[in-house]
Structure formats: structure tokens, C-alpha cells
């Protein structure tokens, strides 16, 4: 109960009162539309990657001196909930500047209900919850982040990775496509109580997709 109350308090601080109420309503019945993209990780050898400015946080590095600054910058407010997932198989990647300040970050998730929504297997890495801090926007960091994460996943032996965005999020669409992810399909869903799919429609990408 205490953990639930702490999470509710974080959500209210992050979203504000009206934003929190909308959040609660969305958890009862949520209509969402997701554009699914995938990456063939075996085709990365010809693409450049800024691995020298990437900090990776996972169950092996969580809490270490090398990742502590990234954790302090990222795992706050609503993102604090990801700390427990990072003790399992989730991963966090951050692009940092010359002063080791976080510019952009994203998570890789395996245990996610939205894998079921998207029709994807649990063992497919899903890049999610990416964010670029306002001071660093407009520098093309999102596609660089996606490529850095993809290179790391390839080095871990994964053959395929996915990422999604809302159809009207043109900035994300441009970043994902610049990183050479392939458009697979658009999935429209109605989710009840964040656990059940009440209705769903899937539209394949024109031209086939990945």
C-alpha cells in the first residue's frame, strides 16, 4: 500500500491535478494508436554509432560509480518505477555530453503488456520511453540514441528490435525513420483497465514493411 501511495504522489507531482485525473480515467478505458517499427539488427554493420557517448544501465551496472549520475538524472519521478525492472532484464541507455550530463535516454523493455497489444513476443527487445532534455533538442539525438541502443542489442545477440510511436508524433516518426527502422503496421486498440484488449484493428504498412 505504501508503494502505491508513493507512486500516486509521484504521478500527481508530475502530471498536476487535472493531468492526474485524465491519467486515472485513461486507465479505466484507453483508446490508443501505435505505429510499429522494427530493425533487423543484423544489418547494422554499415551504420555509424556514437558508442563513445553512451552509458548503459542494467542489472550488472545498476548502482555502480559509472552509472550513478545517469540514474540520478533519469530514474526520478515516474521513471523511478523502472529501477525494479532494471534489476531484471530491462536496460537503460543514455547519451551524455562531454561533461557527462545526460542529453537523451531510452529504455529497453521485455516484460510489457504492450508487447501483447502489438502482437510481439516477450523476448523481443522494445525500445520505449525515450526522452531528450529540452536544452539538447534539435540536434538529431533521437536517431543517434536509437542506433546506439540497436548496436548494443546486436552485440548482445538479439536479431530484431522494435520501437513505436503515435501516428501524429511526426518528430518521433522522423527520428525513427532516420535511424532506418522499418514501418511494420499501425495498431489501433481499446484497452480496459490496462490489462484487457477490448477491440483492435491492425493495418499493415503500405509496401510491406519489415
Amino acid at each position: 500500500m505504501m508503494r502505491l501511495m508513493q507512486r500516486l504522489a509521484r504521478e500527481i507531482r508530475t502530471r498536476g491535478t487535472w493531468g492526474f485525473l485524465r491519467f486515472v480515467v485513461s486507465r479505466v478505458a484507453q483508446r490508443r494508436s501505435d505505429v510499429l517499427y522494427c530493425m533487423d539488427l543484423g544489418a547494422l554493420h554499415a551504420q555509424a554509432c556514437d558508442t563513445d557517448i553512451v552509458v548503459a544501465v542494467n542489472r550488472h551496472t545498476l548502482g555502480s560509480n559509472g552509472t550513478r549520475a545517469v540514474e540520478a538524472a533519469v530514474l526520478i519521478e515516474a521513471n523511478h518505477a523502472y529501477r525494479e525492472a532494471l534489476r531484471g532484464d530491462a536496460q537503460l541507455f543514455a547519451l551524455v555530453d562531454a561533461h557527462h550530463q545526460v542529453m537523451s535516454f531510452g529504455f529497453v523493455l521485455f516484460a510489457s503488456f504492450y508487447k501483447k497489444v502489438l502482437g510481439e513476443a516477450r523476448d523481443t527487445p522494445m525500445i520505449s520511453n525515450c526522452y531528450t532534455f529540452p536544452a539538447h533538442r534539435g540536434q538529431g539525438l533521437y536517431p543517434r540514441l536509437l542506433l546506439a541502443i540497436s548496436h548494443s542489442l546486436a552485440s548482445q545477440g538479439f536479431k530484431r528490435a522494435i520501437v513505436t510511436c503515435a501516428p501524429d508524433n511526426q518528430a518521433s516518426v522522423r527520428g525513427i525513420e532516420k535511424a532506418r527502422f522499418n514501418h511494420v503496421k499501425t495498431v489501433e486498440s481499446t484497452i480496459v483497465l490496462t490489462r484487457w484488449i477490448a477491440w483492435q484493428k491492425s493495418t499493415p504498412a503500405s509496401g510491406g514493411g519489415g
Side-chain angles (χ1 to χ4, degrees), residues 35 37 142 165-179:
V35 183
Y37 290 86
Y142 185 40
C165 68
D168 59 354
N169 189 340
Q170 291 303 307
S172 289
V173 168
R174 288 192 298 270
I176 292 169
E177 293 182 349
K178 187 173 182 179

Side-chain angles (χ1 to χ4, degrees), residues 2-11 13-15 57 62 68 70-88 90 92 105 107 109 129:
M2 180 63 71
R3 182 173 296 180
L4 174 61
M5 296 304 294
Q6 290 174 342
R7 181 177 179 184
L8 290 176
R10 285 197 302 270
E11 292 291 349
R13 288 196 304 270
T14 302
R15 302 171 186 273
V57 184
L62 185 67
R68 196 164 294 150
V70 169
E71 293 173 40
V74 176
L75 299 179
I76 57 175
E77 300 296 346
N79 284 342
H80 183 78
Y82 287 108
R83 185 174 291 275
E84 187 61 34
L86 289 169
R87 294 190 178 101
L92 163 63
F105 66 84
F107 292 87
L109 303 178
N129 295 82

Side-chain angles (χ1 to χ4, degrees), residues 3-36:
R3 182 173 296 180
L4 174 61
M5 296 304 294
Q6 290 174 342
R7 181 177 179 184
L8 290 176
R10 285 197 302 270
E11 292 291 349
I12 292 172
R13 288 196 304 270
T14 302
R15 302 171 186 273
T17 302
W18 288 111
F20 175 73
L21 290 175
R22 288 193 295 270
F23 169 76
V24 171
V25 170
S26 74
R27 288 310 187 256
V28 176
Q30 179 186 19
R31 181 73 178 271
R32 60 181 294 129
S33 185
D34 299 282
V35 183
L36 175 66

Side-chain angles (χ1 to χ4, degrees), residues 26-143:
S26 74
R27 288 310 187 256
V28 176
Q30 179 186 19
R31 181 73 178 271
R32 60 181 294 129
S33 185
D34 299 282
V35 183
L36 175 66
Y37 290 86
C38 79
M39 167 76 79
D40 174 6
L41 298 178
L44 286 174
H45 60 278
Q47 298 188 42
C49 179
D50 295 315
T51 54
D52 55 323
I53 61 168
V54 177
V55 175
V57 184
N58 52 49
R59 64 177 176 268
H60 303 296
T61 62
L62 185 67
S64 67
N65 289 335
T67 65
R68 196 164 294 150
V70 169
E71 293 173 40
V74 176
L75 299 179
I76 57 175
E77 300 296 346
N79 284 342
H80 183 78
Y82 287 108
R83 185 174 291 275
E84 187 61 34
L86 289 169
R87 294 190 178 101
D89 54 8
Q91 302 179 47
L92 163 63
F93 293 86
L95 296 184
V96 299
D97 63 18
H99 305 288
H100 305 289
Q101 298 297 307
V102 177
M103 300 183 294
S104 183
F105 66 84
F107 292 87
V108 173
L109 303 178
F110 292 90
S112 171
F113 168 71
Y114 287 106
K115 294 279 192 68
K116 180 179 179 181
V117 174
L118 298 166
E120 292 287 339
R122 187 195 185 284
D123 59 356
T124 301
M126 181 174 71
I127 304 172
S128 180
N129 295 82
C130 298
Y131 181 79
T132 298
F133 286 98
H136 300 286
R137 291 174 185 168
Q139 303 174 29
L141 293 181
Y142 185 40

